[in-house]
Amino acid sequence: MDQTTAQALFESGACLVILDTPTGIEFGIDLDTWETGPLFKGLKMIPPGIHYIHYSALNGEKQPGMRSGFFHNFSPREVVAKRWCQETEDLVAVNEEDTERIRQNIRDLDKGLGAYQTGENNQTYTQWQQLTCKITPKLLHEVLPPHGCFSSATGSAYEDEEMAAVLKKLKQQAPAMAEQGVSAAELQSIIDAEPTADCASTDRFNFTPINIRHSFPPHATPDELRRFSKDKSWLLRSILQSRTCEDILGEFQLAFLVILVGQNFCGIEHWKRILHLVLGSAEVLGDARVVETVVVPVLRCFMSQLRVCPHEFVASVLEQDNFVAEILQEFVLNVYESGGGLDPEIARLRAVLKMFDWVLPEGQQLQTKADEEEGEYAPQVVDL
């Protein structure tokens, strides 16, 4: 980067100043991560817009601990100041008086400020822009805990669902456990030992609720139960009555970053539900407006996300329980049965999936699967 360009970026870019940073912690912004050195004071030349700052303490074997971080919408020439708290191993706010003093003397810190990499040979910033293009400050305020801060341990309503399911199963097993000699008091102690959700806590994600298992209308007829238990179109239309297409796309991008760089598994659960909701909706493929404003944008976001995924992330997270592969197979079958209007998008999807040796059915394979859906493998309503 030449001196003129560097000077222009320094003048227009934002700065993040970190006081009292110890040597040897893991620190990063967006998709980049480093280990801090003795002169580290923060970052400069941060392009205006939404960025994610993240950090972890390292143990004696250089293994990072729990990751923490925060999203911030940087303004041009903004100076954000934080201080490292040794006791909590976290960043805390600096008061306005000290921040103003830092702002007035920012050039004195120049040697300790690392430059945000935006050069022609660095694709990270371009990738970050693609991954965050639908995320707005308003969405961050609605979904994230206060001040945009969260850690690997931040919870969500999805954990509440899991806890409720465990407790329900324990209560259902109560008679059998009693026959085996487990007393009512012992059973209650087991139930009480299960962790309970702290719904009053502010350290929680507030994602739009998506009950993917209850995807049919109230008082559904048997035919509606059959259709919409598999086809998520009714649920998608229902959610679109209260959330905009941009909201769904923004949450899809944010949930992905929460797991990819935030290392919080609440993100992958919400990401999977949106993917299932949108790509699992067959009936809406006949609605050009929904296809144009929701289905295609989500599919393109998904492809952009795959392009930046390390192979180990795909193997350990995205290939878990074969969920993504099954949803994609269902989607291409739905497109095939709807008349193939999205063939160019499907072709681009196939090209991206080759990066990970994923193969989708095509040609006669699709026809065979379509025949199976209409025949003995068609979904049936079962009275429980």
Side-chain angles (χ1 to χ4, degrees):
M1 184 184 303
D2 60 73
Q3 188 64 31
T4 302
T5 302
Q7 181 66 24
L9 282 173
F10 186 87
E11 294 294 341
S12 64
C15 290
L16 172 69
V17 176
I18 310 295
L19 303 177
D20 303 333
T21 311
T23 299
I25 68 167
E26 187 178 83
F27 188 90
I29 183 169
D30 302 339
L31 303 177
D32 287 326
T33 305
W34 313 274
E35 183 177 331
T36 58
L39 300 179
F40 180 77
K41 297 295 183 184
L43 299 169
K44 61 186 176 182
M45 303 180 184
I46 302 173
I50 291 171
H51 296 278
Y52 176 60
I53 313 301
H54 46 94
Y55 42 90
S56 305
L58 299 176
N59 63 21
E61 298 177 350
K62 298 295 184 181
Q63 296 299 314
M66 181 174 66
R67 174 167 289 187
S68 298
F70 62 94
F71 276 92
H72 185 80
N73 183 33
F74 286 90
S75 301
R77 296 178 295 280
E78 180 180 12
V79 174
V80 176
K82 301 282 186 179
R83 186 183 303 276
W84 180 263
C85 177
Q86 191 64 39
E87 292 182 4
T88 61
E89 295 185 335
D90 204 352
L91 294 180
V92 296
V94 172
N95 64 53
E96 185 55 39
E97 182 180 346
D98 288 342
T99 299
E100 181 58 31
R101 188 179 300 111
I102 291 169
R103 186 181 295 112
Q104 295 299 326
N105 299 282
I106 191 67
R107 289 188 178 278
D108 295 340
L109 299 174
D110 185 53
K111 291 184 178 180
L113 299 177
Y116 189 102
Q117 301 300 306
T118 58
E120 293 182 2
N121 297 326
N122 189 299
Q123 298 298 314
T124 303
Y125 180 51
T126 300
Q127 292 173 340
W128 182 255
Q129 289 178 302
Q130 294 172 345
L131 294 174
T132 59
C133 61
K134 299 300 181 181
I135 300 176
T136 64
K138 177 176 178 289
L139 181 72
L140 294 178
H141 178 74
E142 292 175 346
V143 173
L144 297 180
H147 311 296
C149 302
F150 65 93
S151 71
S152 302
T154 298
S156 77
Y158 295 128
E159 293 176 331
D160 304 349
E161 288 183 14
E162 293 179 6
M163 293 177 191
V166 169
L167 293 176
K168 182 179 179 181
K169 188 172 183 180
L170 280 173
K171 292 175 181 178
Q172 289 174 339
Q173 294 175 340
M177 295 174 72
E179 291 179 359
Q180 297 174 3
V182 178
S183 69
E186 290 173 323
L187 176 60
Q188 189 60 49
S189 68
I190 294 173
I191 293 175
D192 292 341
E194 288 296 318
T196 56
D198 183 5
C199 296
S201 172
T202 58
D203 188 28
R204 290 166 63 83
F205 297 106
N206 188 33
F207 292 119
T208 297
I210 300 176
N211 190 345
I212 207 72
R213 295 181 180 177
H214 196 91
S215 56
F216 41 82
H219 313 296
T221 65
D223 179 61
E224 288 174 330
L225 281 172
R226 180 188 66 79
R227 288 164 53 206
F228 294 123
S229 290
K230 180 174 178 61
D231 180 352
K232 306 304 176 182
S233 295
W234 179 86
L235 181 59
L236 176 58
R237 292 187 187 279
S238 176
I239 290 175
L240 285 173
Q241 291 177 7
S242 59
R243 302 294 283 172
T244 68
C245 303
E246 295 297 306
D247 290 334
I248 293 175
L249 290 167
E251 287 198 32
F252 187 62
Q253 290 189 331
L254 181 57
F256 178 75
L257 294 176
V258 165
I259 176 61
L260 179 68
V261 289
Q263 298 180 0
N264 184 302
F265 275 83
C266 291
I268 192 63
E269 181 60 32
H270 192 61
W271 181 85
K272 286 164 65 175
R273 293 197 186 198
I274 294 179
L275 193 70
H276 194 176
L277 174 71
V278 176
L279 300 192
S281 294
E283 189 178 283
V284 300
L285 292 176
D287 186 328
R289 184 188 66 82
V290 177
V291 169
E292 181 180 348
T293 59
V294 183
V295 178
V296 170
V298 164
L299 185 62
R300 289 177 178 174
C301 282
F302 172 71
M303 289 187 280
S304 295
Q305 291 167 349
L306 279 186
R307 291 188 184 101
V308 303
C309 284
H311 278 70
E312 57 270 22
F313 177 84
V314 172
S316 62
V317 178
L318 300 191
E319 291 183 344
Q320 189 179 42
D321 66 25
N322 215 32
F323 169 82
V324 175
E326 291 177 357
I327 291 300
L328 293 179
Q329 289 186 23
E330 181 181 341
F331 176 64
V332 296
L333 177 59
N334 289 339
V335 170
Y336 174 79
E337 293 182 319
S338 69
L342 292 176
D343 285 350
E345 298 294 337
I346 297 297
R348 282 189 279 271
L349 176 62
R350 293 183 190 279
V352 174
L353 295 182
K354 285 183 179 179
M355 296 169 53
F356 307 102
D357 297 323
W358 290 1
V359 179
L360 295 175
E362 56 185 325
Q364 186 56 45
Q365 294 174 316
L366 284 170
Q367 185 58 55
T368 300
K369 287 184 175 294
D371 293 341
E372 289 175 353
E373 288 288 327
E374 292 296 323
E376 61 179 305
Y377 296 102
Q380 302 291 322
V381 175
V382 178
D383 293 327
L384 299 177

